[in-house]
Protein backbone atom coordinates (compact mmCIF):
# COMPACT_ATOMS: atom_id res chain seq x y z
CA UNK A 1 0.00 0.00 0.00
CA UNK A 2 2.86 2.34 0.85
CA UNK A 3 4.46 1.70 -2.57
CA UNK A 4 1.14 2.37 -4.31
CA UNK A 5 0.71 5.66 -2.49
CA UNK A 6 4.25 6.68 -3.40
CA UNK A 7 3.63 6.02 -7.11
CA UNK A 8 0.33 7.87 -6.86
CA UNK A 9 2.01 10.94 -5.37
CA UNK A 10 4.72 10.87 -8.04
CA UNK A 11 2.06 10.57 -10.73
CA UNK A 12 0.16 13.57 -9.39
CA UNK A 13 3.39 15.60 -9.18
CA UNK A 14 4.31 14.67 -12.76
CA UNK A 15 0.89 15.67 -14.09
CA UNK A 16 1.09 18.96 -12.20
CA UNK A 17 4.53 19.66 -13.67
CA UNK A 18 3.31 18.89 -17.20
CA UNK A 19 0.28 21.14 -16.74
CA UNK A 20 2.49 23.95 -15.46
CA UNK A 21 4.85 23.57 -18.43
CA UNK A 22 1.99 23.57 -20.91
CA UNK A 23 0.37 26.62 -19.29
CA UNK A 24 3.68 28.49 -19.28
CA UNK A 25 4.29 27.61 -22.93
CA UNK A 26 0.85 28.80 -24.01
CA UNK A 27 1.15 31.94 -21.94
CA UNK A 28 4.55 32.73 -23.45
CA UNK A 29 3.19 32.25 -26.98
CA UNK A 30 0.32 34.62 -26.22
CA UNK A 31 2.65 37.27 -24.82
CA UNK A 32 5.23 37.11 -27.60
CA UNK A 33 5.02 39.40 -30.60
CA UNK A 34 6.98 39.72 -33.81
CA UNK A 35 9.48 42.53 -33.99
CA UNK A 36 8.86 45.41 -36.38
CA UNK A 37 11.75 44.10 -38.48
CA UNK A 38 10.17 40.64 -38.77
CA UNK A 39 6.79 42.10 -39.72
CA UNK A 40 8.36 44.33 -42.36
CA UNK A 41 10.40 41.44 -43.78
CA UNK A 42 7.27 39.28 -44.05
CA UNK A 43 5.15 41.98 -45.65
CA UNK A 44 7.92 42.83 -48.12
CA UNK A 45 7.77 39.22 -49.33
CA UNK A 46 3.98 38.96 -49.42
CA UNK A 47 2.78 42.39 -50.57
CA UNK A 48 1.35 42.57 -54.07
CA UNK A 49 0.27 39.65 -56.25
CA UNK A 50 1.14 36.17 -55.00
CA UNK A 51 0.83 33.05 -57.15
CA UNK A 52 1.18 29.60 -55.59
CA UNK A 53 0.64 26.02 -56.65
CA UNK A 54 -2.45 24.70 -54.90
CA UNK A 55 -4.99 21.93 -54.56
CA UNK A 56 -8.68 22.63 -54.06
CA UNK A 57 -10.83 19.99 -52.38
CA UNK A 58 -14.58 19.80 -51.90
CA UNK A 59 -15.61 17.34 -49.23
CA UNK A 60 -12.08 15.96 -49.28
CA UNK A 61 -12.13 15.25 -53.04
CA UNK A 62 -9.38 16.98 -55.06
CA UNK A 63 -11.11 19.06 -57.74
CA UNK A 64 -7.91 20.32 -59.35
CA UNK A 65 -7.37 16.75 -60.59
CA UNK A 66 -3.72 17.15 -61.60
CA UNK A 67 -1.03 15.89 -59.23
CA UNK A 68 0.92 19.11 -59.72
CA UNK A 69 -2.10 21.13 -58.62
CA UNK A 70 -3.21 24.42 -60.12
CA UNK A 71 -1.90 27.99 -59.97
CA UNK A 72 -3.85 30.23 -57.59
CA UNK A 73 -3.48 34.00 -57.50
CA UNK A 74 -3.97 36.28 -54.49
CA UNK A 75 -3.52 39.99 -53.93
CA UNK A 76 -2.06 41.04 -50.59
CA UNK A 77 -2.43 44.54 -49.15
CA UNK A 78 -1.04 45.99 -45.93
CA UNK A 79 -3.67 46.83 -43.32
CA UNK A 80 -1.53 48.52 -40.67
CA UNK A 81 0.83 47.10 -38.06
CA UNK A 82 1.16 43.33 -38.32
CA UNK A 83 -2.06 42.91 -40.30
CA UNK A 84 -2.75 42.50 -44.00
CA UNK A 85 -5.70 41.64 -46.23
CA UNK A 86 -5.76 38.79 -48.72
CA UNK A 87 -8.00 39.10 -51.77
CA UNK A 88 -8.80 36.46 -54.34
CA UNK A 89 -10.82 37.14 -57.47
CA UNK A 90 -13.41 34.49 -58.25
CA UNK A 91 -11.68 31.35 -59.51
CA UNK A 92 -13.03 28.05 -60.82
CA UNK A 93 -10.57 25.29 -61.54
CA UNK A 94 -10.88 21.65 -62.54
CA UNK A 95 -14.26 20.25 -61.50
CA UNK A 96 -15.15 23.00 -59.04
CA UNK A 97 -18.93 23.48 -59.25
CA UNK A 98 -18.79 27.29 -59.00
CA UNK A 99 -16.26 30.16 -58.75
CA UNK A 100 -15.13 31.36 -55.33
CA UNK A 101 -13.80 34.80 -54.42
CA UNK A 102 -12.16 35.63 -51.10
CA UNK A 103 -11.47 38.55 -48.81
CA UNK A 104 -9.90 37.97 -45.40
CA UNK A 105 -8.07 40.00 -42.74
CA UNK A 106 -4.89 38.30 -41.57
CA UNK A 107 -2.49 38.77 -38.64
CA UNK A 108 1.24 37.98 -38.52
CA UNK A 109 2.26 36.33 -35.25
CA UNK A 110 5.13 34.21 -33.88
CA UNK A 111 5.09 30.49 -34.54
CA UNK A 112 3.60 28.53 -31.65
CA UNK A 113 6.12 26.53 -29.64
CA UNK A 114 4.26 23.30 -30.45
CA UNK A 115 4.62 24.00 -34.20
CA UNK A 116 8.33 24.81 -34.33
CA UNK A 117 9.48 21.18 -34.47
CA UNK A 118 7.39 20.46 -37.57
CA UNK A 119 8.60 23.54 -39.45
CA UNK A 120 12.33 22.99 -38.86
CA UNK A 121 14.88 25.80 -38.97
CA UNK A 122 14.67 29.47 -38.04
CA UNK A 123 12.98 32.42 -39.74
CA UNK A 124 9.39 31.15 -39.59
CA UNK A 125 6.40 33.36 -38.80
CA UNK A 126 2.76 32.37 -38.62
CA UNK A 127 -0.23 34.08 -40.16
CA UNK A 128 -3.86 33.50 -39.32
CA UNK A 129 -7.21 35.01 -40.25
CA UNK A 130 -10.85 34.19 -39.63
CA UNK A 131 -14.34 35.41 -40.49
CA UNK A 132 -13.33 36.00 -44.10
CA UNK A 133 -15.85 36.84 -46.81
CA UNK A 134 -16.53 34.75 -49.89
CA UNK A 135 -18.40 35.28 -53.15
CA UNK A 136 -19.68 32.83 -55.74
CA UNK A 137 -20.41 35.24 -58.60
CA UNK A 138 -16.88 35.28 -60.01
CA UNK A 139 -15.89 38.59 -58.43
CA UNK A 140 -13.84 39.67 -55.41
CA UNK A 141 -15.81 40.33 -52.18
CA UNK A 142 -16.15 43.96 -51.13
CA UNK A 143 -15.08 43.37 -47.51
CA UNK A 144 -12.34 41.36 -45.79
CA UNK A 145 -14.44 40.65 -42.69
CA UNK A 146 -17.76 38.83 -42.54
CA UNK A 147 -19.54 40.37 -39.56
CA UNK A 148 -22.35 37.81 -39.87
CA UNK A 149 -20.10 34.75 -39.87
CA UNK A 150 -21.05 31.86 -37.63
CA UNK A 151 -18.06 30.99 -35.43
CA UNK A 152 -14.72 31.46 -37.17
CA UNK A 153 -16.29 31.25 -40.62
CA UNK A 154 -13.78 31.24 -43.47
CA UNK A 155 -10.25 30.86 -42.10
CA UNK A 156 -6.64 30.80 -43.24
CA UNK A 157 -3.64 29.39 -41.40
CA UNK A 158 -0.15 29.56 -42.86
CA UNK A 159 3.56 29.91 -42.32
CA UNK A 160 6.21 32.03 -44.02
CA UNK A 161 9.97 31.82 -43.66
CA UNK A 162 11.34 35.33 -43.93
CA UNK A 163 14.85 33.97 -44.56
CA UNK A 164 14.17 31.36 -47.26
CA UNK A 165 10.87 32.83 -48.58
CA UNK A 166 9.15 29.47 -48.17
CA UNK A 167 5.40 29.58 -47.67
CA UNK A 168 2.62 27.12 -46.94
CA UNK A 169 -1.01 27.66 -46.00
CA UNK A 170 -4.54 26.31 -45.99
CA UNK A 171 -7.79 28.19 -46.54
CA UNK A 172 -11.04 26.71 -45.30
CA UNK A 173 -13.94 28.39 -47.09
CA UNK A 174 -17.17 28.41 -45.09
CA UNK A 175 -19.06 26.74 -47.90
CA UNK A 176 -19.53 23.08 -48.84
CA UNK A 177 -16.29 22.07 -47.04
CA UNK A 178 -14.19 23.72 -49.75
CA UNK A 179 -10.47 23.96 -48.89
CA UNK A 180 -7.45 25.30 -50.73
CA UNK A 181 -4.05 23.97 -49.70
CA UNK A 182 -0.74 25.43 -50.82
CA UNK A 183 2.07 23.00 -49.89
CA UNK A 184 5.47 24.34 -48.92
CA UNK A 185 7.07 26.24 -51.82
CA UNK A 186 9.21 29.28 -52.56
CA UNK A 187 7.52 32.64 -53.13
CA UNK A 188 8.44 33.54 -56.71
CA UNK A 189 7.40 37.07 -57.81
CA UNK A 190 7.85 36.17 -61.49
CA UNK A 191 4.91 33.78 -61.28
CA UNK A 192 2.53 36.74 -60.91
CA UNK A 193 3.78 38.14 -64.21
CA UNK A 194 3.30 34.77 -65.91
CA UNK A 195 0.04 33.80 -64.21
CA UNK A 196 -2.14 33.82 -67.32
CA UNK A 197 0.36 31.60 -69.14
CA UNK A 198 0.51 29.21 -66.17
CA UNK A 199 -3.27 29.10 -66.05
CA UNK A 200 -3.52 28.31 -69.76
CA UNK A 201 -0.94 25.52 -69.41
CA UNK A 202 -2.87 24.08 -66.47
CA UNK A 203 -6.15 24.17 -68.39
CA UNK A 204 -4.53 22.45 -71.39
CA UNK A 205 -3.13 19.69 -69.17
CA UNK A 206 -6.51 19.42 -67.46
CA UNK A 207 -8.34 18.88 -70.73
CA UNK A 208 -5.82 16.19 -71.67
CA UNK A 209 -6.32 14.51 -68.28
CA UNK A 210 -10.11 14.58 -68.64
CA UNK A 211 -10.00 12.93 -72.05
CA UNK A 212 -7.57 10.24 -70.88
CA UNK A 213 -9.80 9.44 -67.88
CA UNK A 214 -13.17 9.76 -69.58
CA UNK A 215 -14.25 12.83 -67.61
CA UNK A 216 -15.58 14.87 -70.49
Amino acid sequence: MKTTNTFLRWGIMLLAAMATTLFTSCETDDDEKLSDEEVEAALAILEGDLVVSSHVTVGGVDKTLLESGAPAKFTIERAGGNRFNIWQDGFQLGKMPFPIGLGISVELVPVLSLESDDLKGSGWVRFYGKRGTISTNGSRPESAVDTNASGDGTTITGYLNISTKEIQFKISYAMMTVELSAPRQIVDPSRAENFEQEKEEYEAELEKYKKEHGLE
Side-chain angles (χ1 to χ4, degrees):
M1 177 67 85
K2 184 176 180 180
T3 302
T4 301
N5 289 337
T6 300
F7 277 116
L8 182 59
R9 286 198 299 272
W10 275 107
I12 294 173
M13 291 172 63
L14 179 60
L15 288 173
M18 292 174 63
T20 301
T21 300
L22 180 60
F23 176 79
T24 302
S25 174
C26 292
E27 185 179 40
T28 301
D29 284 346
D30 290 340
D31 291 342
E32 289 181 355
K33 294 182 180 180
L34 296 176
S35 67
D36 292 343
E37 291 75 16
E38 289 173 316
V39 170
E40 179 57 35
L43 291 175
I45 295 170
L46 295 172
E47 188 176 17
D49 290 333
L50 171 70
V51 175
V52 295
S53 299
S54 68
H55 287 269
V56 176
T57 61
V58 179
V61 179
D62 191 343
K63 296 298 182 178
T64 45
L65 297 180
L66 302 185
E67 185 176 348
S68 58
K73 184 179 180 180
F74 303 88
T75 299
I76 297 176
E77 300 174 344
R78 296 177 186 243
N82 65 332
R83 303 197 69 90
F84 60 93
N85 294 330
I86 295 180
W87 303 99
Q88 184 179 29
D89 293 331
F91 74 102
Q92 187 172 13
L93 300 172
K95 295 191 69 178
M96 288 176 60
F98 46 77
I100 295 181
L102 170 72
I104 189 166
S105 175
V106 184
E107 182 179 16
L108 284 162
V109 295
V111 169
L112 298 173
S113 57
L114 297 176
E115 300 169 322
S116 57
D117 290 341
D118 293 331
L119 292 171
K120 306 296 183 185
S122 60
W124 289 100
V125 298
R126 182 174 186 264
F127 55 92
Y128 176 75
K130 61 183 179 180
R131 300 172 69 86
T133 60
I134 54 178
S135 64
T136 57
N137 60 5
S139 64
R140 176 188 299 185
E142 295 182 359
S143 173
V145 179
D146 182 359
T147 56
N148 298 315
S150 175
D152 288 346
T154 295
T155 64
I156 180 171
T157 301
Y159 307 91
L160 173 71
N161 191 304
I162 58 178
S163 299
T164 64
K165 297 185 179 181
E166 293 173 282
I167 192 171
Q168 65 187 70
F169 61 86
K170 175 180 285 188
I171 301 172
S172 294
Y173 301 86
M175 176 180 292
M176 295 178 61
T177 62
V178 177
E179 291 189 339
L180 182 148
S181 297
R184 189 175 300 185
Q185 56 197 280
I186 301 292
V187 175
D188 181 357
S190 67
R191 294 188 67 179
E193 301 172 7
N194 302 318
F195 175 67
E196 292 302 325
Q197 180 181 338
E198 268 198 60
K199 186 177 178 182
E200 289 176 6
E201 291 173 353
Y202 163 76
E203 290 173 345
E205 287 296 317
L206 180 64
E207 287 305 312
K208 180 180 177 181
Y209 179 93
K210 286 181 177 179
K211 290 178 180 179
E212 291 177 348
H213 294 79
L215 299 176
E216 288 291 345

